[in-house]
């Protein structure tokens, strides 16, 4: 259940209010299996999922004279696919997690009042067919941890709202790499307190990419902090 946002119901500088918007709803089922490998050193899982969405909220381009857009409900969409995950947990402090997803999000039915550009069978915008991630972590309980994470997002469709009528374009795939580290600098003997320094670099390779066409995502970002945990 996903209620309409305030800016979708009420008018803004760029859109007309859609007071009759219905909330988005979904139902889903999935089947999966999990297998332990190499005497418990690794675990593999695979899933099949099937999700049905009703009354999806979709932006609709506006026409002349003011070209103000609006939001409308799609009648139905469905995404089906597979997901695999591998977790390696060796005795050493290094661990590995990797997963990959293949999904086919498609419009299956349109409401009679829908006036947008989507047609039955079209892919849902900004939803990739292929995606995956992998994380390598080195961790020692007494000192801290260090992780490298790679996220892959495949090609996905989007609308080019710089043109009217707005054509469907393909956003290119990309890989984003992040790193994070935690360093323990104080740990009480009684186990009641712990002070750690944290650091993270998002988009380590300073990758240029867009999750929404013509809106650049953040470039390399540094975050430094501290974490204090414990009990009284």
């Amino acid at each position: 259940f996903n209620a309409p946002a305030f800016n979708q119901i009420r008018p803004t500088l760029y859109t007309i209010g859609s007071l009759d918007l219905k909330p988005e709803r979904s139902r889903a089922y999935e089947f999966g299996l999990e297998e332990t490998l190499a005497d418990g050193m690794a675990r593999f899982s695979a899933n099949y999922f099937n999700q049905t969405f009703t009354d999806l909220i979709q932006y609709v381009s506006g026409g002349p004279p003011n070209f103000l857009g609006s939001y409308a409900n799609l009648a139905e969409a469905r995404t089906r696919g597979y997901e695999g995950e591998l977790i390696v947990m060796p005795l050493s402090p290094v661990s590995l997690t990797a997963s990959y997803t293949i999904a086919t999000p498609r419009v299956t039915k349109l409401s009679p009042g829908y006036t947008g550009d989507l047609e039955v069978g079209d892919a849902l915008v900004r939803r990739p067919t292929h995606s995956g991630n992998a994380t390598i972590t080195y961790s020692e309980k007494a000192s801290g941890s260090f992780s490298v994470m790679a996220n892959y997002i495949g090609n996905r469709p989007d609308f080019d709202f710089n043109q009217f009528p707005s054509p469907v374009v393909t956003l290119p795939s990309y890989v984003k790499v992040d790193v994070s580290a935690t360093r323990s600098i104080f740990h009480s003997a009684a186990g009641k307190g712990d002070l750690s320094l944290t650091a993270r670099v998002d988009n380590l390779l300073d990758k240029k990419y867009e999750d929404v066409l013509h809106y650049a995502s953040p470039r390399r970002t540094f975050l430094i902090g501290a974490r204090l945990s414990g009990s009284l």
Side-chain angles (χ1 to χ4, degrees):
F1 178 90
N2 182 31
F6 182 80
N7 66 314
Q8 294 172 339
I9 297 176
R10 309 301 301 178
T12 70
L13 291 175
Y14 308 102
T15 59
I16 300 170
S18 303
L19 295 176
D20 58 347
L21 273 182
K22 301 176 182 178
E24 297 178 333
R25 298 179 183 273
S26 68
R27 63 182 184 273
Y29 64 87
E30 66 178 69
F31 299 97
L33 61 87
E34 184 175 293
E35 181 70 21
T36 300
L37 309 171
D39 296 326
M41 301 291 291
R43 185 171 70 247
F44 173 77
S45 63
N47 296 286
Y48 167 80
F49 56 88
N50 188 310
Q51 299 171 308
T52 299
F53 305 92
T54 56
D55 293 321
L56 277 176
I57 297 174
Q58 175 72 39
Y59 178 82
V60 180
S61 300
N66 53 25
F67 296 95
L68 292 177
S70 62
Y71 291 90
N73 290 108
L74 286 174
E76 188 173 296
R78 178 180 293 123
T79 179
R80 290 179 283 193
Y82 304 88
E83 181 178 36
E85 182 179 55
L86 176 65
I87 301 176
V88 181
M89 300 170 290
L91 295 176
S92 66
V94 179
S95 62
L96 168 67
T97 301
S99 66
Y100 198 84
T101 301
I102 301 175
T104 54
R106 294 290 185 270
V107 177
T108 56
K109 186 179 180 182
L110 293 171
S111 61
Y114 179 73
T115 58
D117 297 324
L118 288 176
E119 298 180 356
V120 173
D122 285 352
L124 297 181
V125 296
R126 306 186 190 119
R127 290 171 170 85
T129 299
H130 296 270
S131 62
N133 63 78
T135 302
I136 299 177
T137 301
Y138 178 89
S139 178
E140 290 187 348
K141 187 175 180 180
S143 58
S145 64
F146 177 80
S147 297
V148 179
M149 297 148 283
N151 292 281
Y152 166 74
I153 301 296
N155 296 338
R156 58 249 179 254
D158 201 353
F159 288 114
D160 186 355
F161 294 116
N162 281 352
Q163 304 180 52
F164 182 83
S166 302
V168 176
V169 298
T170 299
L171 294 175
S173 61
Y174 67 88
V175 176
K176 184 169 76 74
V177 179
D178 306 326
V179 297
S180 65
T182 301
R183 177 70 178 180
S184 179
I185 60 174
F186 173 77
H187 184 74
S188 68
K192 293 185 177 182
D194 185 81
L195 178 62
S196 302
L197 296 179
T198 62
R200 189 169 83 244
V201 182
D202 289 342
N203 197 1
L204 176 68
L205 303 180
D206 206 24
K207 178 70 175 180
K208 292 183 180 180
Y209 67 96
E210 295 177 338
D211 284 324
V212 179
L213 186 65
H214 303 310
Y215 288 86
S217 295
R219 303 292 293 274
R220 186 185 295 119
T221 305
F222 298 87
L223 302 101
I224 299 175
R227 181 185 298 117
L228 176 63
S229 60
S231 59
L232 300 177

